[in-house]
Amino acid sequence: MIKFGIVIVTYNRIDKLKKTLNCYKEQTYLPYSIVVINNASKDGTKEFLENWCLETEKYKKYVINLDVNLGGSGGFFFGEKKSLEIGNDWILVADDDAYPDKNYLEIAKNFIEKNKERNISAICGKVFQHGSCINPHRGFINYKFKLGLKTFCTKKDYDKDYFKLECISYVGLIMKSEALKKVGLVNKDLFIYYDDTEHGIRLNKYGDIICIPKMEFLHDANPTNIDLVWKRYYGVRNQVYMINKHFKGFIIINVVINIIKSFLCVLKGKSFSEVKMRLIAIKDGLLGNLGKHKKYKP
């Protein structure tokens, strides 16, 4: 019997959380456990989860209520840690707005059983978002420039029974517990953005990341609000940090490109405060100053 642990991070989206929990309840191959990380929600999520734990199911239920919002990376870190402690063989991570098809775990189980001799670190399916599966959730690293930038999987990739990839998001990624023990958990100090990409780079060093297109996830996400300055800070900082950590020989060109982009913001109608924010993010990425920034935060 393969033990799948589910880790869900939620923040103020109780209706979507209810829907995703129901998706795991209806799996044709049930998980061994579900861990829900409540990232300090204020919409009744805590009370709902208290009642959810009282409902008897054929899998174990755990809830961790955080006192403050630690971002996606912080939430997933504590969820992965708990799921390993429970004794799961494989750990699936997803947000509260992501819904797997009923046979998601069953297809993964069958593939694992048929490929026991293969060195696999993680398995995933394709993700539909805004009506398309061609999106940033699955892809490859642009090794031509080694800037750590993604190229998306294409329809040609998804026409295969399965294939190897390098860039993944945390929507429906199933990680082997032994791989997590070797490469470590997600970096909780990244807060948001590039935490899953950076983790994928480390997982690739342990073994293959396999995408099985028959496994499908729906990501019911709203378009990203790029006007939020604090979010752009983490995007710049974490990209610089990731490239400096994993592609050090190419960090200079990446920093130069980011500096140019920063000053070009003025020509696009942004204020000098935007330039300042980006320069601070570049500096923090280079120095490894991670965690939640005292100024740029939700």
Side-chain angles (χ1 to χ4, degrees):
M1 172 182 168
I2 297 176
K3 296 180 181 178
F4 287 107
I6 311 300
V7 174
I8 303 168
V9 174
T10 187
Y11 177 66
N12 284 345
R13 291 192 294 213
I14 188 171
D15 290 336
K16 291 185 176 183
L17 175 63
K18 291 177 181 178
K19 184 174 180 178
T20 195
L21 287 174
N22 195 57
C23 287
Y24 295 106
K25 181 179 179 179
E26 295 179 346
Q27 287 293 301
T28 55
Y29 183 83
L30 291 174
Y32 180 73
S33 70
I34 297 180
V35 178
V36 181
I37 308 297
N38 174 21
N39 235 336
S41 299
K42 298 178 177 63
D43 63 347
T45 292
K46 182 177 180 181
E47 293 74 17
F48 162 73
L49 288 172
E50 288 174 354
N51 291 323
W52 173 73
C53 282
L54 297 176
E55 298 172 0
T56 303
E57 304 293 349
K58 294 181 179 179
Y59 43 81
K60 301 174 183 291
K61 297 180 178 180
Y62 302 88
V63 173
I64 299 176
N65 292 300
L66 300 177
D67 295 328
V68 295
N69 184 355
L70 299 180
S73 62
F76 282 118
F77 174 87
F78 287 105
E80 290 167 10
K81 183 174 183 290
K82 180 64 177 179
S83 199
L84 282 177
E85 292 172 354
I86 295 167
N88 292 292
D89 303 311
W90 295 76
I91 298 173
L92 183 154
V93 287
D95 291 316
D96 51 11
D97 59 354
Y99 316 127
D101 276 1
K102 291 183 179 181
N103 59 356
Y104 198 86
L105 291 180
E106 183 177 8
I107 295 174
K109 177 187 79 73
N110 292 338
F111 184 87
I112 292 168
E113 290 177 342
K114 291 178 181 178
N115 293 271
K116 291 181 179 179
E117 304 304 316
R118 184 163 185 168
N119 188 26
I120 300 172
S121 64
I123 294 171
C124 63
K126 63 183 176 184
V127 179
F128 284 95
Q129 180 171 299
H130 305 144
S132 175
C133 63
I134 311 301
N135 53 52
H137 290 287
R138 307 287 184 254
F140 310 93
I141 294 174
N142 183 358
Y143 283 105
K144 182 177 180 181
F145 300 102
K146 289 197 174 179
L147 294 177
L149 301 178
K150 300 177 184 177
T151 57
F152 299 170
C153 294
T154 65
K155 184 180 182 302
K156 185 177 179 180
D157 295 313
Y158 289 129
D159 285 340
K160 301 174 183 176
D161 290 336
Y162 65 90
F163 61 95
K164 289 170 54 176
L165 46 66
E166 299 158 317
C167 288
I168 47 84
S169 79
Y170 259 20
V171 177
L173 180 69
I174 307 176
M175 298 174 285
K176 190 174 184 179
S177 293
E178 289 304 315
L180 285 174
K181 292 174 184 177
K182 291 288 185 180
V183 307
L185 308 181
V186 64
N187 187 336
K188 62 180 172 43
D189 293 324
L190 293 179
F191 195 64
I192 61 167
Y193 295 148
Y194 288 102
D195 49 337
D196 42 13
T197 305
E198 193 277 330
H199 203 193
I201 293 171
R202 285 187 278 135
L203 287 167
N204 263 305
K205 295 178 180 179
Y206 174 89
D208 295 336
I209 298 178
I210 302 295
C211 181
I212 306 171
K214 287 190 299 184
M215 297 166 56
E216 296 183 0
F217 240 92
L218 173 64
H219 193 215
D220 184 22
N222 296 323
T224 302
N225 188 351
I226 60 174
D227 290 329
L228 295 176
V229 173
W230 69 269
K231 285 190 174 183
R232 292 199 294 276
Y233 165 81
Y234 293 103
V236 174
R237 184 196 71 178
N238 293 349
Q239 186 202 68
V240 172
Y241 168 80
M242 180 184 68
I243 292 173
N244 194 36
K245 179 178 176 65
H246 295 287
F247 307 105
K248 207 170 188 67
F250 294 82
I251 187 61
I252 294 177
I253 188 172
N254 178 262
V255 168
V256 170
I257 290 172
N258 268 300
I259 290 175
I260 293 172
K261 286 182 177 179
S262 298
F263 285 103
L264 287 177
C265 287
V266 178
L267 299 179
K268 296 180 179 180
K270 301 288 185 180
S271 67
F272 280 101
S273 62
E274 173 83 13
V275 178
K276 181 180 178 182
M277 176 276 291
R278 288 174 175 270
L279 294 178
I280 291 172
I282 294 169
K283 181 196 71 173
D284 287 344
L286 285 172
L287 297 178
N289 296 332
L290 305 179
K292 187 190 295 186
H293 194 278
K294 62 182 180 181
K295 179 178 180 180
Y296 305 113
K297 57 186 178 180

